[in-house]
C-alpha cells in the first residue's frame, strides 16, 4: 500500500523565498518603528545608520521579488524587471542619502508620529472657541 503524498510538489526554494520575505519585512518594520520613535535630538549618526539599514532591507526585498518574478518570465521581460528594480534602488539611494534641501531638513525635524499623545490637548478647543 503506497502512502498518499499530499505535498508532492514541495520545493524548498519556495519556502526559502517566503521565509526570507517575512524576515526582511519584519526587520524593515522594526527599523521603521525604531526610526519613528527617535526624538528630534537623537544623534545624526544613529539616524544615518538606521537609514542605511532601511535602504539595504528595501534593496534586498526588491531584489528578492525581482528574482522570484524573473524565474517565470522570458528573458526579454527579465531585462525590464531587473531594470525597474535597479532604477528603484538607485532612486531610493538618491533620495535617502544624496538629496538634501532646507524643506526636507525642516520636515525631518517635525515629521514624527506622535505615539504618546502629549500634544493632543494642544489642539483641542474649548466650547467657547468652537462658537
Amino acid at each position: 500500500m503506497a502512502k498518499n503524498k499530499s505535498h508532492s510538489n514541495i520545493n524548498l526554494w519556495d519556502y526559502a523565498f517566503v521565509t526570507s520575505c517575512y524576515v526582511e519585512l519584519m526587520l524593515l518594520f522594526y527599523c521603521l518603528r525604531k526610526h519613528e520613535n527617535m526624538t528630534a535630538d537623537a544623534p545624526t549618526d544613529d539616524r544615518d545608520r538606521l537609514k542605511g539599514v532601511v535602504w539595504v532591507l528595501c534593496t534586498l526585498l526588491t531584489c528578492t521579488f525581482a528574482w522570484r518574478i524573473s524565474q517565470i518570465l522570458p528573458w526579454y521581460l527579465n531585462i525590464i524587471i531587473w531594470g525597474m528594480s535597479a532604477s528603484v534602488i538607485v532612486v531610493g539611494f538618491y533620495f535617502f542619502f544624496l538629496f538634501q534641501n532646507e524643506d526636507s531638513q525642516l520636515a525631518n525635524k517635525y515629521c514624527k508620529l506622535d505615539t504618546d499623545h502629549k500634544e493632543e490637548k494642544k489642539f483641542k478647543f474649548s466650547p467657547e472657541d468652537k462658537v
Side-chain angles (χ1 to χ4, degrees):
M1 186 171 190
K3 285 186 176 180
N4 185 6
K5 273 190 161 180
S6 61
H7 299 289
S8 61
N9 291 332
I10 293 176
N11 188 354
L12 293 178
W13 287 109
D14 293 340
Y15 287 125
F17 168 73
V18 171
T19 304
S20 68
C21 286
Y22 275 117
V23 169
E24 291 164 14
L25 281 172
M26 285 190 302
L27 288 171
L28 182 62
F29 288 141
Y30 171 77
C31 290
L32 288 174
R33 175 59 94 177
K34 193 172 178 181
H35 186 272
E36 186 178 89
N37 289 332
M38 283 185 159
T39 59
D41 57 343
T44 308
D45 292 340
D46 291 344
R47 277 187 197 282
D48 291 342
R49 190 175 313 118
L50 201 53
K51 276 181 14 179
V53 171
V54 167
W55 180 77
V56 167
L57 286 171
C58 289
T59 300
L60 188 59
L61 199 58
T62 301
C63 290
T64 303
F65 281 111
W67 171 77
R68 182 67 177 174
I69 291 170
S70 69
Q71 289 181 335
I72 60 173
L73 293 177
W75 67 270
Y76 52 88
L77 291 178
N78 283 341
I79 294 171
I80 295 171
I81 294 297
W82 284 105
M84 289 171 38
S85 298
S87 66
V88 166
I89 292 166
V90 169
V91 169
F93 181 82
Y94 173 75
F95 280 112
F96 260 51
F97 300 109
L98 303 177
F99 179 75
Q100 290 293 324
N101 65 11
E102 297 83 27
D103 294 335
S104 66
Q105 290 172 354
L106 185 65
N108 286 337
K109 191 186 299 183
Y110 292 107
C111 289
K112 179 186 179 300
L113 182 62
D114 187 17
T115 55
D116 54 3
H117 304 291
K118 289 180 183 175
E119 299 290 324
E120 216 171 73
K121 294 181 181 179
K122 183 189 280 187
F123 298 108
K124 287 192 175 182
F125 294 107
S126 66
E128 294 84 25
D129 292 336
K130 289 181 182 179
V131 177

